[in-house]
Amino acid sequence: MAGERGPDGMGRNAAFVLLLLGIMIVQVTVVNRLPLPGHAAPDLVLLAVVGYALARGAAAGAGMGFAAGLVSDLLPPAAHLLGHNALVLCLMGFLAGRAVESRPFAAPLVAMACAVAGPVVALVTGALVGDPRTGLSMLTTVLPQAMAYNLVAAPPVVWMVRRLVRGPEPSPVRVPQHIMRSRL
C-alpha cells in the first residue's frame, strides 16, 4: 500500500490532490474566517497531509507535505515567510508516515499526536527563522487553541483522507463454522 503503483493508486493520488486543493480553498475562505473563540482555527491542510502520510508512508508524506506547504505558502493571506508551511508540513508528513511505518496499528494515536505537534512545530520553526508574530501571547493563547481545534477536527479529516488514499478496507474473510469445527 505504501508503495502502491498502477492506475488505481495514481487515481487515488490525483483524487487526493484535488481534495487537498479543495481543503486549502475551504481553509482560506471559510475556516480561517469562522467566528471561533480565540484567534485560532483548525489546520485542515496539516490534518490532510497527516492522513495521506498515514496511508502512504514517510517518503510520500514528506513529499506531499512539502508540495502542499508550498501551495499554502502562496495562498493569501501569506503573512509568513515563503517556505515556512512547506517546512512544517514536510516534517509533519514525514514524522506521521515514519511513526505508522514502525507501528501500523498506532495510526489514530499518531494522528492525534500530529494534530497537537503541528502547531508547536510551526511556532518553533517560526521563532527559529525570526517570524515577528511568534511571541509570548502566541505561546500562551493561540497555541493551546490551535491544538484543541486540531484535536477536534483530526478524526473526521484524517479518516476521510486515509479512506480516499487507501481505498475501502477489505472485508474480513469469514470461515464457515463447520470448517472451523473440522479443524479442531
Side-chain angles (χ1 to χ4, degrees), residues 46 50 88 91-92 95 110-124 143 146-147 150-151:
L46 166 71
V50 167
V88 171
L91 185 59
M92 295 310 300
L95 292 174
V110 170
M112 293 303 181
C114 289
V116 170
V120 175
V121 170
L123 184 68
V124 169
L143 182 64
M147 293 187 316
N150 280 354
L151 279 174

Side-chain angles (χ1 to χ4, degrees), residues 34-95:
L34 286 175
L36 297 172
H39 301 289
D43 189 349
L44 302 181
V45 178
L46 166 71
L47 300 175
V49 167
V50 167
Y52 184 84
L54 293 177
R56 294 285 189 209
M64 189 60 73
F66 183 74
L70 278 180
V71 172
S72 68
D73 278 332
L74 297 173
L75 283 177
H80 54 273
L81 294 174
L82 181 65
H84 183 241
N85 282 342
L87 172 65
V88 171
L89 293 177
C90 178
L91 185 59
M92 295 310 300
F94 176 78
L95 292 174

Side-chain angles (χ1 to χ4, degrees), residues 2-180:
E4 185 177 311
R5 303 255 187 239
D8 190 37
M10 293 298 287
R12 292 192 193 287
N13 286 337
F16 173 74
V17 169
L18 291 175
L19 175 68
L20 187 60
L21 291 173
I23 287 173
M24 288 179 183
I25 292 168
V26 168
Q27 179 78 45
V28 170
T29 60
V30 177
V31 175
N32 289 349
R33 296 175 185 208
L34 286 175
L36 297 172
H39 301 289
D43 189 349
L44 302 181
V45 178
L46 166 71
L47 300 175
V49 167
V50 167
Y52 184 84
L54 293 177
R56 294 285 189 209
M64 189 60 73
F66 183 74
L70 278 180
V71 172
S72 68
D73 278 332
L74 297 173
L75 283 177
H80 54 273
L81 294 174
L82 181 65
H84 183 241
N85 282 342
L87 172 65
V88 171
L89 293 177
C90 178
L91 185 59
M92 295 310 300
F94 176 78
L95 292 174
R98 192 66 163 155
V100 84
E101 284 173 354
S102 63
R103 300 200 190 316
F105 296 108
L109 183 60
V110 170
M112 293 303 181
C114 289
V116 170
V120 175
V121 170
L123 184 68
V124 169
T125 56
L128 287 174
V129 296
D131 188 348
R133 297 175 302 137
T134 59
L136 186 58
S137 68
M138 181 77 89
L139 183 64
T140 59
T141 57
V142 177
L143 182 64
Q145 293 166 354
M147 293 187 316
Y149 288 137
N150 280 354
L151 279 174
V152 170
V157 173
V158 170
W159 177 84
M160 175 184 61
V161 168
R162 232 177 135 205
R163 174 82 186 228
L164 173 75
V165 174
R166 289 179 64 190
E169 297 294 323
S171 56
V173 175
R174 297 185 188 260
V175 179
Q177 288 294 332
H178 69 278
I179 294 175
M180 288 300 293

